[in-house]
Amino acid sequence: MKLPPFAHVAPRRLGEAVSRLAEAPPGQALPLAGGQSLVPLLASRARTPRLLVDLRDLGELTGVGEHGGFLRIGAMTRQHTLATHTRVGAAAPLVAEAAARTGHASVRHRGTFGGTLAHAAHPAQLVVAAYALDARLLVSGPGGTRTTALRSLLDGPGLRHDEILTAVELPLRATGGGHAFGQVSHPVGGRPVASVAAIADTAPDGTVLRAEVTVGTRASPPTTVDVTHRLRDAGAAAAETVPTGPGQLERQGPPAAYCRHVARVLAERVLSEAITRARRSTDGAAPAPTRETR
């Protein structure tokens, strides 16, 4: 389908971009990051703005650094950078792995971290990974900059029409921890049906001190489950996050029963890998990457 008609501006300052959004009625002006999430919505007429505010020239929204005990990543940082940046791989390996599994290379070179989180598709790889890490978001609007948790944003109304996501903050990785990520994607188009992230912390003797799985599917939003004391039932716990009855999303994708099955299998697999990596980390051995499931 052809895109609907709209005007296009590319501000060079963040304040100007916020002003252009604030001047328009809600829904009539939208920020454009990489376009990998927004353009399909425009093509399907799910969104019909009169103005796109392009953020591509806002260099202040890119880059990777540390701030106050967090790894701060600019919202316009490309997914390819997340997958290949040495600092991201060391401090937030779960995000690096999820980014490497996001779409094709052409998608990763255009798609942005902030754009993915702002649209927050439930099974999106980076959404699930950032949710698992309890990411914080820096958001700028006419009233200034505020900080909000990604989990709160997904549970609430989302960003206001005059706000722009400017950066993502991830807790710096602690020693003795392990992670793993898995997904099952639709054979046509490669969009994820379900994504599961696991995080585990172990003691020097191998005892599991903490184990969590985060599940996002086409039929359910991201949810984190503490399975520290139910490791053998982690798959069942993951499946419980997917509702049994039909929902609105089910009409657009696989049935909830299939999503529950996939969540169960992935959770068992990635939790086992996360614990193995945590124990290797404690022993001083480099963790091995998991295999991608399509």
Side-chain angles (χ1 to χ4, degrees), residues 246-258:
Q248 181 179 2
L249 291 177
E250 187 167 340
R251 295 194 295 270
Q252 305 172 4
Y258 177 70

Side-chain angles (χ1 to χ4, degrees), residues 37 112-121 126-128 130-131 135-137 150 153-154 159 165 167-168:
S37 299
T112 65
F113 198 9
T116 301
L117 299 187
H119 286 276
L126 284 170
V127 173
V128 172
Y131 192 97
R136 302 194 316 190
L137 309 179
L150 173 63
L153 186 73
L154 295 183
L159 298 175
L165 174 57
V168 183

Side-chain angles (χ1 to χ4, degrees), residues 47-294:
R47 306 296 294 270
T48 55
R50 296 181 180 178
L51 174 67
L52 290 186
V53 180
D54 198 332
L55 309 180
R56 64 186 178 186
D57 292 332
L58 301 182
E60 59 194 293
L61 302 190
T62 62
V64 178
E66 293 184 18
H67 182 81
F70 287 82
L71 184 70
R72 178 176 290 183
I73 303 173
M76 285 294 290
T77 302
R78 306 292 174 175
Q79 295 163 359
H80 172 74
T81 300
L82 298 178
T84 58
H85 198 286
T86 302
R87 192 70 191 100
V88 177
L94 185 61
V95 166
E97 185 171 348
R101 295 168 179 244
T102 299
H104 301 287
S106 58
V107 172
R108 295 192 294 273
H109 277 83
R110 290 197 60 82
T112 65
F113 198 9
T116 301
L117 299 187
H119 286 276
H122 293 170
Q125 296 91 333
L126 284 170
V127 173
V128 172
Y131 192 97
L133 295 173
D134 198 12
R136 302 194 316 190
L137 309 179
L138 274 63
V139 180
S140 293
T145 300
R146 66 184 178 95
T147 302
T148 184
L150 173 63
R151 297 181 181 183
S152 298
L153 186 73
L154 295 183
D155 292 338
L159 298 175
R160 297 194 296 267
H161 79 281
D162 54 1
E163 289 185 322
I164 294 174
L165 174 57
T166 59
V168 183
E169 292 187 334
L170 305 170
L172 293 174
R173 182 189 186 191
T175 58
H179 77 281
F181 185 88
Q183 70 184 56
V184 168
S185 300
H186 197 283
V188 179
R191 290 185 177 275
V193 172
S195 295
V196 179
I199 298 175
D201 295 325
T202 58
D205 64 358
T207 302
V208 177
L209 303 176
R210 178 189 117 177
E212 294 179 348
V213 292
T214 300
V215 182
T217 76
R218 288 290 301 271
S220 59
T223 305
T224 296
V225 183
D226 187 336
V227 294
T228 307
H229 302 294
R230 51 184 305 193
L231 297 179
R232 294 185 178 181
D233 298 326
E240 290 170 1
T241 67
V242 183
T244 56
Q248 181 179 2
L249 291 177
E250 187 167 340
R251 295 194 295 270
Q252 305 172 4
Y258 177 70
C259 292
R260 287 172 64 87
H261 170 72
V262 170
R264 178 183 295 108
V265 173
L266 286 177
E268 293 172 351
R269 184 179 304 168
V270 300
L271 180 60
S272 176
E273 181 65 23
I275 293 173
T276 298
R277 290 182 175 186
R279 288 169 176 163
R280 286 175 179 166
S281 175
T282 302
D283 293 338
T290 56
R291 291 179 298 174
E292 181 174 0
T293 304
R294 287 283 182 181

